[in-house]
Amino acid sequence: MKKRISLIVLAATMMASVLSACGGSGGDSGASQGDGGSSQKTLRFATWDTGDTLKIEQDIAKKFEAEHPGTKVQVEAYADGFDQKLAAGFGAANPPDVMYMWDFPTYHQSLEPLDNYANKDQDLKIDDFYKGLFNYGKIDGKLYGIPAGFTTRVVYYNKKMFDAAGVPYPKDGWTWDQFQEIAQKLSDKSKKQYGFGVRAENDTYDLQGLVWSNGGSFISPDGKTIDGYMNSKETAEAIQMFGDMVKNGSAVLTGGKGQQSGDDIFKAGKIAMWESGIWPLESFRKAGIDVGTVEMPAFQGKPVKGVLAESALSIAKDSKQKDLAWEFIKFYVSDASIKMRVADLPVRQSVVTELKKDQDPLYKPYYTMLERSDNTPAFLLNPKWNEVNRQLSAAVESVMHGGNAQEVLNQAVKDSERYLK
């Protein structure tokens, strides 16, 4: 998840945005002059992607232009500066028309509600989307984002390492107890080999599936209370498990200062299991790893819960060409465009069925976990969650470095409650 920006950075970025908006034309963001002075509509689309993923988005934009003569799609790649540049655009009343979006609590007042578009436009084929995806784009019952892509989280495993140790591959329906036993069997400190990789700095958003699966939560369902939730026995037990695995040597810390990322250590064949979303799968295969995926384990006698990472498309409230922006969104989430984008998972059931993604052993666990991802993340429940999350993140990091989960979570609650008053 992305972090809020400082006022200093925001002010500087706003000034830069005002000076550079629309290439300095000074005109309406929805129009520019083409060759020969003929009018041409320019639709601005902001993305956080880079590299190959950005190239695909640019290709989609060109296809949209071909089907909409007289329209130019200006793809604005904000990369790591996405939040800063987006906030600057909103602050200067000069935002992109269409943008990727995830932080609806922060930005929804600057976005156009899409309920009327989505419900009335039959071409969208709204019933073809996985319904649970729309929950992440709503604030106070209003829809502000159309799902474009998503991932759930699964356990990757290195088949070669399992084979060498004579350990059977994990199967859907396994438990965290079985997970820990396997991690012990696949750890050999003399070879600097470990059964699992634990992030030194965890995104607490991603940990919610683990916590929910143990019956815990970071916040009450109404978003008003953290005491008894963020520091509950169930929440502490779930987080403590990873810290204990580091202590007993069945897992190794990854991604901290001076440490390789978990993705890189997995590709090097030094950890047998790694938990993540869809993002590293292609890199694992290109690295020659004989990789398998399996759904997340369960705590004994409790249902497995998942958490979604979703990208959605939104329209700026200040856009002067909302109808054209809506046409672009429909095009972007059409079957053809979805098939072009391989960095996330298809949001349409028809595409998944056609490509047989839900039958492919590598991809099936993601969709199994989607069926289990019906809890509401903390950041959607309270607008001040980012302030609370700073204390929670520090507490989780402490656990991964040997701290006691119950103690540090109790302290995090005490330090955070003032933000909820």
Side-chain angles (χ1 to χ4, degrees), residues 36-354:
S38 61
S39 178
Q40 176 177 270
K41 294 180 179 178
T42 298
L43 187 76
R44 296 171 59 201
F45 166 49
T47 175
W48 50 56
D49 287 315
T50 59
D52 292 341
T53 303
L54 173 61
K55 176 63 168 59
I56 291 171
E57 291 165 1
Q58 292 168 333
D59 289 342
I60 292 173
K62 290 176 183 176
K63 288 181 179 293
F64 181 81
E65 292 171 350
E67 294 190 16
H68 297 77
T71 297
K72 168 67 177 177
V73 178
Q74 181 174 302
V75 180
E76 301 179 4
Y78 293 170
D80 290 339
F82 184 85
D83 279 340
Q84 292 94 327
K85 292 177 182 177
L86 193 61
F90 285 135
N94 185 34
D97 300 286
V98 181
M99 68 223 66
Y100 264 125
M101 179 56 60
W102 68 270
D103 192 354
F104 293 98
T106 297
Y107 294 112
H108 72 278
Q109 293 180 340
S110 299
L111 303 176
E112 181 72 12
L114 301 178
D115 302 87
N116 287 337
Y117 287 102
N119 294 330
K120 294 180 180 179
D121 194 329
Q122 297 299 313
D123 292 338
L124 179 65
K125 300 178 182 177
I126 194 170
D127 291 337
D128 190 30
F129 288 80
Y130 288 95
K131 288 182 172 55
L133 298 177
F134 285 96
N135 296 335
Y136 280 58
K138 290 183 178 180
I139 298 292
D140 297 330
K142 291 184 179 180
L143 179 66
Y144 292 97
I146 300 299
F150 80 96
T151 184
T152 48
R153 304 185 74 84
V154 301
V155 174
Y156 291 94
Y157 60 94
N158 185 321
K159 294 181 180 180
K160 182 179 179 180
M161 294 177 69
F162 273 73
D163 292 342
V167 176
Y169 301 152
K171 296 181 179 180
D172 293 343
W174 61 331
T175 67
W176 282 109
D177 287 341
Q178 292 170 328
F179 173 91
Q180 292 177 79
E181 291 174 6
I182 292 172
Q184 285 281 10
K185 292 178 181 178
L186 289 166
S187 295
D188 186 344
K189 285 188 177 180
S190 67
K191 298 180 180 178
K192 294 185 178 180
Q193 174 184 306
Y194 299 88
F196 183 56
V198 170
R199 292 173 178 82
E201 299 175 0
N202 285 270
D203 189 330
T204 60
Y205 181 92
D206 299 332
L207 286 175
Q208 287 175 110
L210 174 74
V211 168
W212 291 332
S213 293
N214 199 36
S217 178
F218 290 148
I219 196 168
S220 61
D222 63 6
K224 297 179 180 179
T225 307
I226 55 175
D227 191 17
Y229 292 89
M230 199 165 88
N231 58 345
S232 70
K233 177 184 176 183
E234 292 80 8
T235 300
E237 283 179 347
I239 295 173
Q240 187 69 61
M241 178 179 66
F242 281 176
D244 288 346
M245 291 182 69
V246 175
K247 284 181 184 178
N248 66 33
S250 62
V252 64
L253 282 179
T254 70
K257 294 180 181 179
Q259 296 170 317
Q260 286 184 297
S261 70
D263 288 0
D264 288 341
I265 299 174
F266 186 83
K267 284 188 284 190
K270 292 300 182 180
I271 53 176
M273 296 183 291
W274 178 238
E275 178 269 340
S276 189
I278 188 67
W279 312 290
L281 178 57
E282 277 303 308
S283 69
F284 292 163
R285 295 201 287 194
K286 287 180 180 178
I289 302 297
D290 189 3
V291 63
T293 60
V294 61
E295 67 183 44
M296 298 297 292
F299 288 96
Q300 195 68 45
K302 300 177 182 180
V304 178
K305 293 289 185 177
V307 64
L308 289 172
E310 180 180 326
S311 55
L313 292 179
S314 296
I315 296 175
K317 186 175 288 185
D318 287 335
S319 172
K320 297 177 176 62
Q321 43 190 358
K322 295 184 178 72
D323 289 343
L324 181 61
W326 175 251
E327 290 301 314
F328 179 74
I329 286 179
K330 281 198 304 179
F331 188 84
Y332 200 90
V333 298
S334 66
D335 289 14
S337 296
I338 288 173
K339 291 174 186 175
M340 291 175 65
R341 294 186 288 110
V342 295
D344 47 26
L345 293 165
V347 294
R348 288 188 179 276
Q349 299 176 63
S350 60
V351 175
V352 171
T353 299
E354 179 184 347

